[in-house]
Amino acid sequence: MARFVAIGAVLMAVFAAAFAPAGLSRLALDQVPQVALLNPSGTLWSGSGTLHTYGNRLGTLSWDLQGFTIFLGVLSYDFTLKGQDLDLHGNGGAGWNRSFAITATGRVGEAFVNGLMAPYDITISGDLNLNDSRIEFVEGIPSAADGLASWAGGSVRYGLGSRTFSAVLPAMQLALGPGPEAQLFEYNGNKELMVAELQPNGFAKVAMTRRMTALANNPWPGQGDPDQVVVEVEEKIF
């Protein structure tokens, strides 16, 4: 008898997940800071909605639930995100322990990247391409990362104090992880340019090498190892 009750409970869980309203998908996105899903339609199993972050519309998010993951204690989705400046596909999953992970491949448009960089007075030309880029969150804070992102190179403009600088940079590649960190290299090379790290105290730390200052048309004074870190900045983000 107990076995039939257990089987019935499992079938009820699957049925509920298949036909639950799409609005329940907001529960997963609640784990990602400053992200909201508006006007959801369909079901928790398969649906779509408009994804917003920091009040800005990113595009249309469509998803399909991987049903078997329910029995593993997570909600795992295959998704696509299409907007004017985004064309991504991948997988996202939320656990009952307030954890969330997302893996994405595709294009992040120049305008979207420059919107993120605007507070730092930096603009670039060209799109960013993600290749199985993965970020894991615990209670809304990034805890681990993996994968790659690449940029084909091009013109860059940035401000320092009252001065504005410009440069034409080579193609670059961003290697994520293994923790909440990333290393920037020249594309297909091992010449490290910058390192960014999210520290346990909620500060993001960015370190820049002498080589990067030269590429940015603002070389660090004096002589030294091109791999030497010459600039470090920190900002509280969590």
Side-chain angles (χ1 to χ4, degrees):
M1 180 65 178
R3 181 177 63 179
F4 291 116
V5 171
I7 293 173
V10 168
L11 292 175
M12 283 292 292
V14 172
F15 183 85
F19 295 99
L24 290 180
S25 58
R26 290 171 173 161
L27 296 176
L29 291 173
D30 282 345
Q31 311 307 319
V32 185
Q34 300 297 330
V35 173
L37 181 68
L38 303 183
N39 304 317
S41 62
T43 67
L44 186 65
W45 193 271
S46 179
S48 64
T50 304
L51 195 64
H52 290 246
T53 182
Y54 292 97
N56 298 314
R57 185 185 186 278
L58 298 185
T60 299
L61 176 69
S62 302
W63 67 85
D64 288 290
L65 178 67
Q66 298 178 355
F68 69 91
T69 62
I70 294 175
F71 307 112
L72 302 178
V74 296
L75 290 177
S76 184
Y77 296 88
D78 293 324
F79 74 86
T80 61
L81 176 59
K82 292 185 179 293
Q84 182 175 351
D85 298 309
L86 293 170
D87 188 358
L88 301 172
H89 65 273
N91 175 269
W96 309 122
N97 60 346
R98 296 184 62 79
S99 64
F100 182 86
I102 184 168
T103 302
T105 295
R107 179 186 68 87
V108 180
E110 172 186 324
F112 182 82
V113 175
N114 286 333
L116 296 178
M117 306 283 265
Y120 307 100
D121 197 16
I122 300 173
T123 59
I124 70 169
S125 61
D127 299 341
L128 187 68
N129 291 293
L130 306 184
N131 184 10
D132 286 334
S133 300
R134 176 181 175 85
I135 300 178
E136 299 179 13
F137 300 83
V138 175
E139 295 187 352
I141 298 176
S143 59
D146 191 19
L148 298 171
S150 61
W151 176 59
S155 61
V156 173
R157 186 202 62 80
Y158 62 98
L160 286 176
S162 59
R163 299 183 61 188
T164 298
F165 296 85
S166 62
V168 177
L169 298 181
M172 297 181 180
Q173 183 167 274
L174 189 69
L176 304 178
E181 59 197 16
Q183 298 83 39
L184 183 66
F185 299 90
E186 290 189 42
Y187 193 79
N188 285 336
N190 57 2
K191 298 177 180 179
E192 189 172 81
L193 303 175
M194 297 175 65
V195 177
E197 177 187 7
L198 180 62
Q199 300 175 312
N201 60 6
F203 277 83
K205 178 181 177 181
V206 178
M208 183 182 300
T209 64
R210 184 182 291 272
R211 178 180 289 107
M212 184 64 197
T213 66
L215 288 174
N217 203 26
N218 188 19
W220 194 257
Q223 302 295 318
D225 184 347
D227 293 324
Q228 176 190 3
V229 173
V230 293
V231 178
E232 288 188 343
V233 293
E234 294 187 8
E235 181 180 353
K236 181 76 171 179
I237 61 173
F238 287 105

